[in-house]
Amino acid sequence: QVQLVESGGGLVQAGGSLRLSCAASGTIFSTNVMGWYRQAPGKQREFVAVINNGSGTNYADSVKGRFTISRDNAKNMAYLQMNSLKPEDTAVYYCYFRDLVSLTNYWGQGTQVTVSS
């Protein structure tokens, strides 16, 4: 089992920045993927960014050039630096962890990000 706790959400004006953090704990094997998804009101959860434990990354087109995902393997932490935020980035952001040994997915409880215009 893996537990995920997000932090760093909040209210920011358009053009501002926020940094989300995700702390993973529990039984963590070295082969895994961490990432972020988001869900806006009335919409389906969508992919934002992912990083493997070799630091390879992938981003949704909507956030490329504005968001940066990173991780600290020693601390089992993942981060999402969000710059040039737009009102359409408003959503609950969920941390995601995929154990590539057991092929099990885990989710955090979510953190609210609100971008005002």
Side-chain angles (χ1 to χ4, degrees):
Q1 288 288 330
V2 174
Q3 294 79 42
L4 303 172
V5 178
E6 302 102 331
S7 60
L11 173 64
V12 64
Q13 288 188 331
S17 298
L18 282 174
R19 187 192 193 212
L20 305 183
S21 299
C22 175
S25 61
T27 304
I28 298 173
F29 295 102
S30 60
T31 307
N32 60 70
V33 171
M34 295 186 74
W36 295 91
Y37 281 68
R38 67 187 182 186
Q39 188 167 17
K43 295 187 177 181
Q44 290 190 333
R45 191 173 296 189
E46 64 175 7
F47 167 75
V48 175
V50 67
I51 184 168
N52 61 35
N53 54 330
S55 296
T57 60
N58 192 27
Y59 296 91
D61 288 343
S62 59
V63 307
K64 280 181 182 177
R66 300 188 299 121
F67 291 10
T68 303
I69 189 170
S70 61
R71 63 186 290 168
D72 184 330
N73 290 330
K75 297 180 179 179
N76 292 321
M77 296 285 296
Y79 307 95
L80 186 68
Q81 178 66 43
M82 304 184 295
N83 298 328
S84 302
L85 282 161
K86 304 175 181 180
E88 51 263 43
D89 294 318
T90 295
V92 177
Y93 283 70
Y94 295 91
C95 181
Y96 162 81
F97 181 101
R98 179 168 176 82
D99 183 331
L100 296 179
V101 174
S102 66
L103 301 181
T104 303
N105 297 329
Y106 300 91
W107 296 92
Q109 81 287 354
T111 185
Q112 178 70 47
V113 171
T114 303
V115 184
S116 63
S117 57

